[in-house]
Structures are given as structure tokens and as C-alpha cells.
Amino acid sequence: MGTSIVGLGMTELGRVYGRSPRRLAADAVRLAAADAGLALGDLDGLLVSHGMGGSPGIELADTLGLRDLRLLALVNSYGATAGAMVSYAAMSVLNGSATTIACVFADAPLKPEQSAGSAYNRSSREWYGFGGMTAALGLRSVNSHYALAAQRHMARYGTTSEQLGAIAVATRAWASGNPLAQMREPITIEDHQASRWVSEPLHLLDCCLVSNGAIAVIVTSADRARDLARPPVHLWGWGQGHPGLRKERGSDFGLATGAAASGAAAMKMAGITTADVDVCELYDCYTYTVLVTLEDYGFCAKGEGGAFAASGALGPGGSLPTNTGGGQLSAYYMWGMTPLSEAVIQARGDGGQRQAPSTDVILVSGNGGILDHHSTLVVSPHEKGA
């Protein structure tokens, strides 16, 4: 017996105000159930993930009026959570713990009349202990830590800012065909280079958006999926990687990530190699994250991610369509639900202007923390082995 994603629910995404994360999450679950042709009472499992605001939690079950659940949990591996939730849901279906499980992420960090950049800022009062030492040295934001990782890759392999820019340009080209994308105006390498520094070597166009909203998916058995409303998206494989790298001399921080272990596990379970992958939906909190993930998955050799991106492989018409909805850089930032939702859209053939030419095998990544956590899914519109 296999497992499948049978429902996708997406609220409005972006500068969406007036609804709490819990309400957004409830709306997304309702939309996912309706998409699958299910009633809320058909759900016997709920996995919940929230952003930095700390809501919603498992009380979402009460908000939705769910009763007699066989599986209920709050899951958090930061940006790797969506892939982890789906794998836990699939395993629960396979072992009989539950039959029909909703997985949902919601967040609302944006506030009216507040800049997107300030949404994740920490107060100086939150720095204490040894964490205060890194803040005193200038590493006061996630941007700074990822800039350090990108700088390490550049120093070791000669990766350039223009090569990172090629990822931003390709992603925006895909976003132009996505009516839900927040940023659809095409950009050039020159635009990328002219955008302001956020934390050198990362320009503004190297960094993801900040968004409010919620996305949910529903996982059930492949047997049951055949009788539901929408084409099922079959789960072929999954894996995780949590390398625990320290930012210290001699470590591989910035050079390697948990994508290596996570991707290898997922592809082995799926019975595929990178040569079989038609589309990648990769976690792109920064352009650099895409580059290092492609390397660690084995789509190119270590240190060659920049040249691979600059070749045009990732954009429309390229050999490896990547982040076909515009990703987190140009579409919307819903942690790991951003790449997962686009994978479902592509596998169903619902991409419209941005539909990739072939979607038999889609690789989905999630990245959490400062390259600390990674999840990978392999999905397909076809049942495994069919």
C-alpha cells in the first residue's frame, strides 16, 4: 500500500491582515478537505506547524471541531517541517495509526505599516549568554548567518554574486506565470546587482519574501486516493538530515548541508537517481540555499552549483525546472509548504502558464534553522511501480 497527497488548501498569501494564524490554519484545512472532496469529520489525524509567532498549536483541532482524532501533534523542524510532517503522516497511514491526516502550516509575522524586514527582528533584550557575543560581533539576524555561509562557499569554490543572481532571475521568470506570486515583474542580473545589500554578499534579491497565510495538505492511502475528487500526488520517498554543524574553524558549515543525507535517503526509498528527476521544488530562503542544495543532492559536483545556475538550467526552458511557482524568493514564504504546494500543483498539471513540460518525478526540499535541518520528499502523479 502506498500513500498520497489528496488535498491542497491555500489561503490568501502575502500582506493578508485581520486573521490570526489559527484562523488562517483552520481556513487552509477546510480548503484542503474540500479540495479532496472530504468532510472535516473524515479526518482522523492533524499535524500542526507554526511560524515564529508560536500559534497555532494543537488547539487547532478544537477550532475545527475535530473529534476522536487518532493522531494529533505539533511538529517543528523550522523550514524542514512540511516534509517531516508529510513523512510522519505517510508512516502513520502505512502502520495503521490513522487513515486521513491533515498537515498545516500558518504564520502571520507581517503587521500593517511595518516593514517586511522588521518582521523577524529580535529585540536586544533577547540576546543573552554566549548568543550575545555573536550579536556583539554583528551576527544579529538570520540574514547575517546565511551571508556567512554564502561567503564561505564563495571563498572555497569561487562562487560569484552574479551566479547567485542567476537563481533569482530564473525564479522570478517562473513567478511571472503564477497569479499568486507576490513579485511577478521580470528581473535581470543587472537588477540583482543593483539591489541593496542586506548582508554582504547577499543582496535584497537574494533574500526571500515575508508572508502571512496558511497552507494545508491531506495525506491518505493510495487506495483511498483513487476515489477522491482530485488527482492524487503519490509519495515515493522521504528522508531527513540534521548534520549539527558548528560555525567553527575546520567545520563544513556553508559547504555542505543535511540535503546530502536527506536527499540520498529519499531517492533510495523512491528507487530513483537525480537523472530521473524532472522538476525540483527547493527551499529558497536565499539564492545560496538553492545552490548548495543542488550540489548536495548531486545535480552537479560540489563547487559547481554557481556555474550550473548560470547555465540557465533552472529557469523556463532549462534542463532542470526549479521552483516553478516563483519559490520563496518571488512567490510567497510559507516555510516548507511553499515548495510542497507547488509540487502538488505541478504534479496535478495545474500550473497553467508555468506548467513544467514533464512532471513524472518531482523532488521537494525543506531547510530549517541555519542549514541545521533538512527534509526531502519525492512525489509523482503516478503510483510507485506503476
Side-chain angles (χ1 to χ4, degrees):
M1 180 179 73
T3 54
S4 308
I5 295 172
V6 295
L8 172 64
M10 303 170 67
T11 68
E12 294 176 88
L13 303 166
R15 292 194 172 276
V16 180
Y17 304 121
R19 281 185 281 175
S20 68
R22 188 193 303 187
R23 182 179 171 188
L24 288 163
D27 289 345
V29 173
R30 292 186 184 102
L31 288 167
D35 182 61
L38 295 167
L40 284 178
D42 293 321
L43 301 178
D44 59 2
L46 176 65
L47 299 177
V48 184
S49 171
H50 59 65
M52 303 305 288
S55 175
I58 58 174
E59 75 281 353
L60 180 64
D62 288 333
T63 302
L64 287 164
L66 300 178
R67 300 290 182 266
D68 300 318
L69 291 179
R70 297 166 62 188
L71 178 69
L72 176 63
L74 179 66
V75 184
N76 188 7
S77 299
Y78 300 112
T81 308
M85 284 196 298
V86 168
S87 68
Y88 299 152
M91 288 186 281
S92 296
V93 170
L94 291 173
N95 67 29
S97 298
T99 67
T100 313
I101 304 166
C103 306
V104 60
F105 169 84
D107 200 10
L110 288 173
K111 307 302 178 188
E113 300 180 3
Q114 173 183 292
S115 72
S118 64
Y120 287 99
N121 282 353
R122 294 174 62 181
S123 164
S124 60
R125 293 189 298 273
E126 296 180 69
W127 297 108
Y128 56 89
F130 286 108
M133 295 178 64
T134 59
L137 294 170
L139 295 174
R140 299 189 179 99
S141 69
V142 173
N143 294 329
S144 299
H145 288 275
Y146 272 94
L148 183 66
Q151 194 71 263
R152 182 93 188 280
H153 198 280
M154 289 175 160
R156 176 66 62 89
Y157 299 117
T159 307
T160 67
S161 175
E162 289 81 2
Q163 290 171 338
L164 295 179
I167 296 172
V169 170
T171 305
R172 183 65 65 85
W174 285 115
S176 66
N178 181 2
L180 295 180
Q182 291 177 237
M183 308 294 290
R184 300 181 64 192
E185 188 70 24
I187 58 172
T188 65
I189 294 294
E190 290 72 25
D191 293 328
H192 172 270
Q193 293 292 290
S195 65
R196 65 175 175 83
W197 292 115
V198 171
S199 183
E200 194 173 354
L202 300 177
H203 290 270
L204 179 64
L205 292 178
D206 288 307
C207 304
C208 69
L209 301 164
V210 180
S211 308
N212 292 352
I215 298 177
V217 297
I218 295 175
V219 177
T220 191
S221 69
D223 289 341
R224 188 180 189 194
R226 298 188 193 103
D227 298 323
L228 296 179
R230 297 301 314 281
V233 179
H234 300 286
L235 294 161
W236 283 16
W238 52 79
Q240 293 185 41
H242 308 271
L245 296 174
R246 295 180 178 271
K247 304 177 192 70
E248 61 187 17
R249 185 188 300 272
S251 83
D252 283 335
F253 175 74
L255 306 179
T257 74
S262 175
M267 285 187 267
K268 181 178 180 180
M269 182 185 293
I272 66 162
T273 69
T274 54
D276 299 306
V277 175
D278 297 303
V279 175
C280 280
E281 305 296 351
L282 304 184
Y283 197 95
D284 58 339
C285 49
Y286 301 89
T287 52
Y288 155 79
T289 317
V290 174
L291 182 148
V292 74
T293 301
L294 287 167
E295 292 180 348
D296 285 346
Y297 277 163
F299 288 102
C300 57
K302 180 55 67 176
E304 295 182 3
F308 185 60
S311 74
L314 310 182
S319 60
L320 186 66
T322 297
N323 294 343
T324 51
Q328 298 165 322
L329 292 170
S330 290
Y332 48 86
Y333 180 58
M334 287 285 106
W335 285 20
M337 281 294 186
T338 298
L340 178 58
S341 61
E342 181 63 17
V344 172
I345 290 167
Q346 288 289 325
R348 289 174 164 181
D350 291 342
Q353 294 181 21
R354 68 185 191 278
Q355 182 65 37
S358 178
T359 58
D360 291 334
V361 180
I362 304 174
L363 195 68
V364 184
S365 81
N367 166 75
I370 316 297
L371 307 173
D372 297 310
H373 312 292
H374 206 93
S375 63
T376 305
L377 299 172
V378 179
V379 305
S380 173
H382 313 293
E383 289 192 56
K384 187 177 177 182

